[in-house]
Amino acid sequence: EFSSMQQKLTEAQKKLNPFKSFQKEFKARVQARKSLQELMEKLTTAELEVEKAKMMSSAADSGQMTDDEISSTEKIMQPAKAGIENMLRMIDQKLRTADPAMKEELT
């Protein structure tokens, strides 16, 4: 009788084991999604800066840009470039230190 109860307990534990880590994995997935959302917001900001620079450099399509146009375009590009570089570093860092749930969300 004891062995049959032990066997039932073992079977019940096998069924429950996948659910033990659910809460932890769920929280990790939620955090991963928040991180992705933050990255997307930063990327949108950088994308706007790149679009501004593209519009400012449209004078190059019809001829040569003046020095002032070049310097103002470069000034606009600096924040976008820095933002994109920071995002790439952040993604790389998160991938290196991420738990499996985070890696799954990032890839």
Side-chain angles (χ1 to χ4, degrees):
E1 185 179 319
F2 178 72
S3 64
S4 66
M5 294 279 276
Q6 184 69 28
Q7 187 176 4
K8 287 179 183 179
L9 178 63
T10 303
E11 289 175 18
Q13 284 179 329
K14 286 180 185 178
K15 290 179 183 177
L16 288 176
N17 281 338
F19 299 107
K20 285 183 179 180
S21 62
F22 174 78
Q23 185 176 14
K24 180 182 172 188
E25 287 179 14
F26 181 75
K27 287 179 181 180
R29 284 185 181 271
V30 168
Q31 184 61 38
R33 293 231 171 136
K34 285 180 184 179
S35 295
L36 283 175
Q37 185 63 34
E38 290 174 16
L39 290 172
M40 291 302 294
E41 289 171 7
K42 290 179 181 181
L43 184 60
T44 301
T45 303
E47 187 177 14
L48 290 173
E49 295 297 322
V50 170
E51 188 63 32
K52 285 181 195 176
K54 178 185 170 191
M55 290 172 33
M56 289 184 72
S57 65
S58 64
D61 294 339
S62 61
Q64 192 169 2
M65 291 175 60
T66 66
D67 288 339
D68 289 339
E69 290 173 328
I70 292 171
S71 65
S72 62
T73 302
E74 286 176 346
K75 285 179 185 176
I76 286 182
M77 284 301 297
Q78 287 300 343
K81 181 182 175 189
I84 292 169
E85 288 172 349
N86 284 338
M87 281 186 289
L88 289 173
R89 279 193 297 272
M90 190 182 320
I91 290 170
D92 187 48
Q93 178 186 13
K94 286 186 184 285
L95 279 174
R96 276 191 258 123
T97 62
D99 60 356
M102 176 72 113
K103 284 184 180 179
E104 190 173 315
E105 289 293 322
L106 289 174
T107 56

